[in-house]
Amino acid sequence: EIMKKNLLSQEKVSIFVPKAETEDPRIKLSVNLNGYRLDLPKNVYLQVPLQIAEVIRESLNQQVSALLPFQINRNKATEEALS
């Protein structure tokens, strides 16, 4: 209840949560903050509290960083070898 009040008092920001091409559209993005859970739709613009937007942004950045070593275009030599 305290977390919910805290979130409701925060500035709202607009975000877009992408959905993977093969992902079922019914799958939501779950965000948990101190036991308060939000299930957010994907592939739509949302108005969310700033703290929720920051958690989502950090999560997406971590996913990109984790997948970077496996991308074909990670460096010129790999790209040329796999092209």
Side-chain angles (χ1 to χ4, degrees):
E1 188 65 31
I2 294 170
M3 191 68 207
K4 182 178 180 179
K5 285 181 185 179
N6 183 7
L7 291 172
L8 290 175
S9 70
Q10 293 178 16
E11 171 190 356
K12 303 293 187 279
V13 295
S14 182
I15 63 164
F16 183 82
V17 179
K19 176 185 81 64
E21 220 176 278
T22 57
E23 190 175 29
D24 187 320
R26 296 173 293 180
I27 295 175
K28 308 282 185 203
L29 173 67
S30 291
V31 177
N32 287 290
L33 288 173
N34 295 328
Y36 184 70
R37 179 179 166 166
L38 290 165
D39 291 320
L40 305 170
K42 295 182 180 181
N43 253 23
V44 295
Y45 283 94
L46 303 169
Q47 290 289 320
V48 298
L50 181 60
Q51 191 173 4
I52 297 292
E54 290 171 350
V55 168
I56 292 170
R57 185 187 72 231
E58 181 62 28
S59 175
L60 293 173
N61 286 341
Q62 287 178 3
Q63 287 176 16
V64 168
S65 294
L67 294 174
L68 187 61
F70 303 100
Q71 291 181 346
I72 290 174
N73 63 347
R74 65 185 173 266
N75 66 46
K76 187 96 173 133
T78 304
E79 189 174 359
E80 288 173 1
L82 296 174
S83 295

